[in-house]
């Protein structure tokens, strides 16, 4: 049997394959390791970490919608200290790149997190979450503000030599402008997209179903939007893109790569099938073999627009 | 924890609108405890998108039982399964009831579909402990007695048994057991659990020897701790939520804020 | 049996009930009149009309997605003249408010259309489409440009006394800013939302499935997003809102009204069930009766946020 | 045009992978013509979201027939229907074949599932006209002969009948009918229709007395003219598209650009 080179590069970060598990949909890796060998993955992106632990939003945090779900977790996380003491050692046992996602409500907090984590060998890259829409005191504002995103990128860049991935919000007019600003300020890559702002009401109580009122929409419902954002970035900015949003099978992965993604993230799908990466890897391999594609990275941005 | 496809071997409507599904799944049957649950993918594709959590209702040899009513899309699909259809199961999940500690009398309190976990619990307890059960519902048709031993019934409209809520009934009856050590196993709507919490506190303050574990519910995405979607307030630490799917669904009633 | 007052007002425009059929999903009313009596509707919004006929995009124009569809019709329409001569006379036979949706690639074109149509008695209001995402030479730019939307509103306002409804794009950071600018420049109401930009690729040919590359996403997939936009506008701007996006049943209509909509539009649903308005009307009526709601307009913005 | 729920009365697999569904629907049966189509809601909810268009395959008394293969989600659901299940039908839609004009010989040309509309057309023609049919497929398994009379077969791989494409076969054979007036009814993949168009043009230029109508396809949302989703270029006016669902699906082959 022929072999396919599934490895891809995100800037200087080399991944064995393009499959990353998305932040917030895999915790810190321990629960999902009951289902799959983490070493088969391209990488794992940990739940957004903030300087101090965050309790997160009151229940209800989850609402199912047509082919999607709203979440308003509120960035519940164990905080930097416990992350380093309790979570990193577990991840260190694996031979898989760990990307640490960071959420913060000030530029200083981002920088401090990066500085503290910079010495952790296990952590190969940072994904900077400027876009989480469900935290009242941060997320939305940063992610929708071009100059803020530029500043955060710049400051974080000067704090580390590790790979920096800026995770972009889709809740903007032109996402490519944001990708451009990230590139100009030294980011190695961008992730697109985080969730879209949505809500749902209980028509009996007239209350929002989520305690936070607004939540982030994820799942297959948003795939066409995520693909459009990836394509928009790819056509306008020369920066590696990590595609994320509604990926449910290997066909979706190929579609994202064709549209411009160098790697992809699996999010909501982890909740439904934590072993999905296994069958996706097989599907990617077979697709490439059938078409004589030697290296999957050739697919990135290989769209034909007439 | 595993993900497995297992066939439906029997489907029955044990009373109007209440379905019992027997699934042959030795892997699950051998590893699951009362109060734990399963996260079920009700259809092949991704509609509905998320799995649906169900308590383990009973275990018999290699078979497991689910009990449910038709609530929305997911349970409607589940109720339409034919014999031989495969069900995709993720589990066993969560922490079940602790029924091996010290107590004289096991008290089961079930509200409506809160009856679901108790056939299995009763099966595990039956040769070892005295069991008294209290089953509540809004009216007669909502009372689910299925395989719950030694039961007294309460209905809000008085159409069956005691008129009033099941916790009142429990409180009245339990007065006969002052000098016994009692362990209450509760499951039901949040209102019932709140009343139970108050009742247990009151009885404790009156020096009853009483412990209580309850099974709680929440919207869930993953069911195994990776989404943080199912918080319940820790009673002892205002800065902390437990996760219902992983730290629960069964909690000591004093450990959570209902 | 008790009766419920289902009528609602959009500025000075009075509708017998809150159900409008959305622009582009009902043509000019003739085909759908085979299925339902148009007179039972709150109103009909005609397919976007431009000064000259538009041929529209090449096939393929439609792609189904998870709980949604992408369309890139390209504003195919018969043009103003044929609209007045052939389409309006048909609609004039009915006793139902006709709202004429206008698309244009310059402010002057908007104004000219409105002026020409102003004398048509059949037309009770204008819906100004500044947001159609699939026309390269217009749509996207206008709808995402705050000052442009302000100017269009102002100019159209000065050309007519009829009700002006500005149809807003969801592909922006803060839709409420746009609603505000519409209000300040004299619009009577806003419609929210038009479709979201999306795309899809054929993984065998690597070509976009739509000839236009990008299309507009509609259907139940976008409902949570549309609801969030309606709520955002309602909490920030005092202007009547017409809710649209993913409505599939009467429950969805109630949800939109609770979130702030005075009326709603049925779009994609018309393709699947052109008689849907009938059962929706019944559902609205029953909901109000059960809850002793005398006038459905009481529902508008009746959310309880703790 | 109406929307109606009608029951499946028979489902058969007429050859490997090709399904025939018999639906009792007097309302549709009485009003539909060969070449028209129906837009079918394959499931109760909105998954898949859109209806699926199918040609009317045949009509027998109060019953209609659909012919399809399992292509994607919609046809998979359709193939799983049981007898008695209701199908939600919107139709009859579009303009069918005109088979009542003047001609001596009816020629049917079908590629693959393009066979679907012809059992009904043949039924209407059979006592009135001579019919010659040409049926094509990539290989033997793709050739659908079902209820198409007097047929010659072409397969691309030569596994059945003439080796080559069906239009070639037609062109070879039709040379025997120079002095007859011929009406061709075509349905099949776009490549076949293009070849047919070239062939008809050539034959016309050689003074054959030949007319040709073809059934075309497109992605569709509504199926009845309100979405503008199904354009096909007008051959006579570069500034105009026809709508396949409303102006077609059957067109004179000279009126559209394939
Ligand atoms: C641990 C656990 C055990 C359960 N055991 C049983 C059982 O044995 N038998 C039984 O009939 N039911 C049980 N349930 C409830 C069961 O999961 C729901 O009835 C089921 O999800 C309904 O799905 P549906 O598609 O029919 O309804 P839908 O209304 O279509 O979907 C239910 C939706 O509501 C959400 N949801 C589910 N529960 C809640 C909640 N408490 N609060 C807010 N949203 C919620 C879900 O995320 C889902 O998206 C249990 C729930 C939990 C958490
Ligand atoms: C007028 C007409 C008559 C038809 N008659 C028959 C028939 O008799 N028998 C039969 O088997 N098939 C017929 N088809 C094709 C049939 O509609 C498709 O096979 C069916 O839609 C597949 O649905 P699916 O859900 O199984 O596949 P999926 O791949 O899941 O869905 C098909 C999707 O592709 C889109 N689509 C459908 N056709 C096309 C196209 N030509 N180009 C691009 N996209 C498209 C649809 O919008 C749909 O969303 C006909 C099509 C038309 C337009
Ligand atoms: C429950 C949940 C929690 C999430 N938490 C985070 C988070 O902490 N940080 C972050 O950057 N993204 C978070 N996301 C967004 C995902 O990483 C991903 O961008 C998004 O869900 C879209 O991908 P999907 O459609 O595949 O889920 C979360 C998503 C979900 C569903
Ligand atoms: C096929 C199609 C064509 C449309 N054409 C127009 C149009 O011409 N003008 C316009 O303002 N909106 C147009 N829309 C947008 C709808 O009016 C509506 O805003 C959108 O579809 C969201 O509603 P829905 O999810 O209920 O379909 C179109 C939508 C569809 C699906
Ligand atoms: S349901 Fe996902 S963490 Fe509990
Ligand atoms: S399919 Fe809607 S116009 Fe033809």
């Amino acid at each position: 049997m022929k072999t396919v080179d599934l490895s891809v590069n995100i800037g200087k970060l080399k991944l064995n394959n393009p499959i990353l598990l998305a932040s917030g949909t895999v915790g810190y890796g321990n629960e999902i390791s009951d289902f799959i060998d983490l070493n088969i993955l391209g990488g794992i992106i940990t739940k957004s970490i903030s300087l101090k632990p965050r309790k997160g939003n009151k229940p209800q945090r989850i609402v199912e919608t047509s082919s999607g779900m709203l979440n308003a977790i509120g960035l519940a996380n164990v905080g930097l200290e416990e992350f380093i003491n309790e979570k990193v050692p577990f991840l260190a046992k694996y031979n898989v790149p760990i990307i640490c996602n960071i959420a913060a409500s000030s530029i200083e907090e981002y920088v401090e997190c990066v500085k503290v984590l910079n010495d952790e060998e296990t952590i190969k890259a940072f994904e900077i979450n400027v876009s989480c829409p469900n935290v009242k005191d941060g997320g939305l504002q940063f992610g929708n503000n071009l100059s803020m995103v530029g500043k955060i990128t710049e400051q974080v860049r000067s704090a580390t030599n590790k790979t920096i991935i800026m995770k972009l919000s889709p809740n903007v007019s032109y996402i490519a402008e944001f990708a451009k600003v990230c590139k100009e300020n030294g980011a190695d890559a961008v992730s697109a997209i985080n969730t879209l702002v949505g809500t749902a009401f209980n028509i009996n109580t007239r209350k929002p179903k989520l305690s936070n009122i607004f939540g982030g929409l994820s799942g297959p419902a948003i795939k066409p939007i995520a693909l459009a954002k990836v394509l928009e970035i790819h056509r306008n900015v020369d920066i590696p893109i990590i595609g994320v949003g509604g990926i449910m099978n290997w066909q979706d992965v190929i579609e994202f790569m064709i549209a411009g993604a160098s790697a992809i993230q699996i999010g909501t799908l982890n909740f439904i099938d934590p072993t999905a990466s296994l069958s996706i890897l097989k599907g990617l391999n077979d697709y490439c073999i059938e078409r004589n594609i030697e290296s999957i990275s050739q697919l990135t941005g290989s769209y034909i627009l007439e | 924890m595993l993900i497995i496809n297992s066939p439906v071997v029997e489907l029955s409507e044990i009373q109007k609108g209440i379905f019992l599904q027997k699934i042959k799944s030795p892997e699950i049957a051998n590893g699951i405890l009362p109060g734990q649950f399963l996260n079920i993918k009700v259809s092949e594709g991704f509609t509905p998108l998320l799995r649906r959590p169900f308590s383990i209702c009973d275990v018999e040899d290699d078979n497991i039982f689910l009990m449910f009513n038709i609530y929305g899309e997911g349970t409607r699909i589940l109720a339409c399964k034919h014999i031989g259809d495969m069900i995709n199961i993720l589990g066993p999940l969560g922490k079940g009831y602790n029924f091996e500690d010290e107590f004289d009398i096991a008290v089961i309190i079930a509200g409506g579909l809160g009856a679901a976990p108790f056939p299995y619990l009763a099966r595990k307890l039956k040769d070892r402990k005295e069991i008294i059960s209290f089953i509540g519902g809004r009216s007669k048709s909502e009372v689910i007695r299925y395989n719950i031993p030694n039961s007294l019934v309460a209905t809000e409209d008085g159409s069956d048994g005691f008129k009033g809520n099941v916790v009142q009934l429990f409180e009245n009856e339990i007065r006969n057991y002052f000098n016994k050590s009692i362990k209450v196993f509760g499951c039901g709507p949040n209102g019932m659990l709140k009343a139970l919490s108050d009742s247990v506190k009151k009885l404790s303050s009156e020096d009853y020897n009483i412990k209580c574990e309850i099974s709680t519910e929440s919207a869930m995405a993953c069911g195994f701790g990776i989404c943080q979607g199912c918080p319940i307030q820790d009673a002892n630490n205002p800065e902390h939520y437990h996760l219902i799917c992983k730290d629960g669904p069964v909690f000591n009633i004093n450990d959570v804020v209902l």
Side-chain angles (χ1 to χ4, degrees), chain A residues 268-297:
Chain A
T268 302
L269 178 56
N270 291 321
F271 306 152
I272 303 154
D273 181 6
T275 69
S277 326
L278 273 171
S279 53
I280 291 180
L281 274 173
K282 182 174 179 325
L284 297 182
N285 199 65
D286 292 353
Y287 175 93
C288 291
I289 287 180
E290 271 170 36
R291 285 164 184 76
N292 262 312
I293 295 168
E294 284 165 25
S295 162
I296 199 166
S297 61

Side-chain angles (χ1 to χ4, degrees), chain A residues 58 65-67 70 140-141 144 171-174 196-209 213-214 217 220-221 223-225 227-228 231-232 235 250-251 254-255 258-259 287 291 293 298-299 302-306:
Chain A
K58 284 190 283 187
T65 67
S66 297
S67 296
L70 291 167
L140 191 57
Q141 289 74 0
N144 291 18
N171 305 296
V172 300
S173 300
Y174 300 107
L196 284 128
V197 179
T199 192
F201 283 86
N202 180 319
I203 64 169
N204 294 314
T205 62
R206 299 194 192 173
K207 291 185 184 169
K209 289 188 179 171
I213 306 172
F214 295 105
L217 185 65
K223 192 187 82 170
I225 302 172
L227 275 170
L231 181 61
E232 184 193 330
R235 289 173 86 188
W250 66 263
Q251 289 92 336
I254 302 283
E255 204 177 348
I258 290 171
Y287 175 93
R291 285 164 184 76
I293 295 168
Q298 294 167 237
L299 286 178
S302 64
Y303 46 77
I304 301 167
L305 309 178
E306 234 90 335

